[in-house]
Amino acid sequence: MFQSIICEVDESVGILTLNKAERHNAFDERLIAEMTSGLLELEADTRVRVLVISSTGKSFCAGADLNWMKRAASYTPQENLHDARNLARLMSTLNTLSKPTIARVQGPAYGGGVGLIAACDIAVATYDAVFALTEVKLGIVPAVISPYLLTAIGERYCRRYMLSAERFSAAEAYRIGLVQEIVPGEEQLDEAIGEIVDSLLKNGPHAQAECKSLIRVVSGQPIDESCIEETAQRITRVRSSPEGMEGLAAFLEKRKPNWMG
Ligand code: COA
């Protein structure tokens, strides 16, 4: 049974809600362990086609729990590393889930909270959401979230916001590509996410998983012979898969595809 998160399934949508509102959903050992297990549970649940990462309370996520960070500094070097690896593993688990992921952002998202958003495929925020990479203010670094931030907003904005630790608005998060849509309030947030979920559910689930894997493999590679060959191999495999054949046949027969069939 989870204490710091709520994990639920609403038809085809798995919802993982950060539920430590009194600490602004800051990560400690328990939240990290529960979130990692919750994500893996939803990934394995065959009813679930899309995951939404949500939050209770005033904040989306205040990043690392600073009491936990302080405690970790007094661990042995081995314990300290083990602890850091758990947070790194949470981010990597979220990043590599085969199902589409959506961050539902309201209120402040700081440090690791920004990392969670960057590790999701899709992010929607309310106008009053606020973002910051505050680590350097605390004399630390956004290390385990850096691969996902660099992918989401690029080196240029990482340099600015990692070094300055400035707070930035939802409009700025939208401009730099951290979130892809901004809406006035929570009602519109749920409507916008509902529309995205509807679009996602129309598509082939295996094709979506293949797209996520394709993006990971091709991203950042030089467009050389091996990259070109990799892409050819992938479409060869996917178009002759049951789902590929069903999708193509459904279009040509002017009917809805039966993905589960
Ligand atoms: N770790 C541990 N405790 C935290 C926390 C964090 N990351 N963020 C907030 N809290 C605690 C506060 O210390 C406070 O505890 P208290 O009630 O025992 O005094 C409680 O949560 C409420 O926070 P408060 O600052 O009073 O609420 P607020 O609404 O004014 O501001 C935040 C909320 C999230 C904007 C603010 O708390 C904040 O800036 N937190 C630090 C976030 C951060 O820098 N994270 C990056 C870590 S790498």
Side-chain angles (χ1 to χ4, degrees):
M1 201 54 199
F2 296 127
Q3 287 182 18
S4 301
I5 64 164
I6 303 166
C7 221
E8 55 201 336
V9 178
D10 179 8
E11 296 188 0
S12 305
V13 183
I15 306 164
L16 192 155
T17 304
L18 306 176
N19 190 32
K20 225 178 67 166
E22 72 290 354
R23 278 280 171 270
H24 296 269
N25 299 316
F27 306 126
D28 58 6
E29 304 90 325
R30 179 188 293 277
L31 184 57
I32 293 166
E34 290 189 0
M35 220 184 147
T36 308
S37 307
L39 290 174
L40 294 173
E41 257 178 38
L42 293 173
E43 171 83 340
D45 189 326
T46 51
R47 293 169 301 169
V48 173
R49 296 255 341 256
V50 176
L51 269 80
V52 176
I53 310 298
S54 183
S55 56
T56 54
K58 286 199 312 191
S59 302
F60 176 69
C61 173
D65 186 314
L66 299 171
N67 298 302
W68 164 67
M69 275 274 176
K70 190 160 171 259
R71 260 196 322 275
S74 65
Y75 292 167
T76 66
Q78 273 311 314
E79 288 167 343
N80 190 352
L81 180 60
H82 176 76
D83 204 58
R85 280 184 179 143
N86 287 340
L87 181 55
R89 193 167 75 87
L90 164 62
M91 294 294 163
S92 138
T93 301
L94 176 57
N95 188 56
T96 53
L97 291 177
S98 70
K99 298 174 183 177
T101 52
I102 306 174
R104 179 194 184 280
V105 187
Q106 53 77 35
Y110 287 176
V114 182
L116 286 182
I117 298 166
C120 283
D121 301 315
I122 297 168
V124 186
T126 52
Y127 289 169
D128 62 0
V130 188
F131 304 81
L133 296 166
T134 54
E135 285 83 350
V136 291
K137 269 195 181 167
L138 304 159
I140 56 176
V141 288
V144 302
I145 60 173
S146 62
Y148 317 106
L149 284 171
L150 282 158
T151 305
I153 64 173
E155 188 179 329
R156 196 77 192 130
Y157 289 108
C158 280
R159 289 190 187 201
R160 167 138 181 197
Y161 290 115
M162 283 186 187
L163 296 176
S164 69
E166 291 160 278
R167 294 203 305 167
F168 56 93
S169 65
E172 175 67 349
Y174 174 71
R175 193 182 72 81
I176 66 178
L178 178 63
V179 301
Q180 295 133 336
E181 204 170 325
I182 49 176
V183 293
E186 291 206 44
E187 200 177 309
Q188 294 87 349
L189 190 57
D190 289 327
E191 279 168 18
I193 290 174
E195 280 174 26
I196 297 169
V197 167
D198 288 346
S199 295
L200 290 167
L201 292 178
K202 290 190 183 120
N203 308 325
H206 291 106
Q208 287 170 324
E210 287 281 352
C211 272
K212 292 190 67 164
S213 155
L214 175 72
I215 292 164
R216 268 200 307 279
V217 166
V218 173
S219 173
Q221 263 200 52
I223 308 174
D224 57 11
E225 279 309 315
S226 109
C227 172
I228 291 165
E229 180 59 19
E230 174 73 37
T231 59
Q233 298 262 356
R234 282 177 178 253
I235 183 60
T236 303
R237 174 162 48 78
V238 173
R239 72 181 167 197
S240 57
S241 70
E243 193 175 277
M245 290 199 291
E246 167 61 12
L248 296 170
F251 178 83
L252 296 172
E253 291 161 19
K254 302 190 190 311
R255 61 171 174 82
K256 278 193 181 166
N258 178 7
W259 298 128
M260 294 312 166

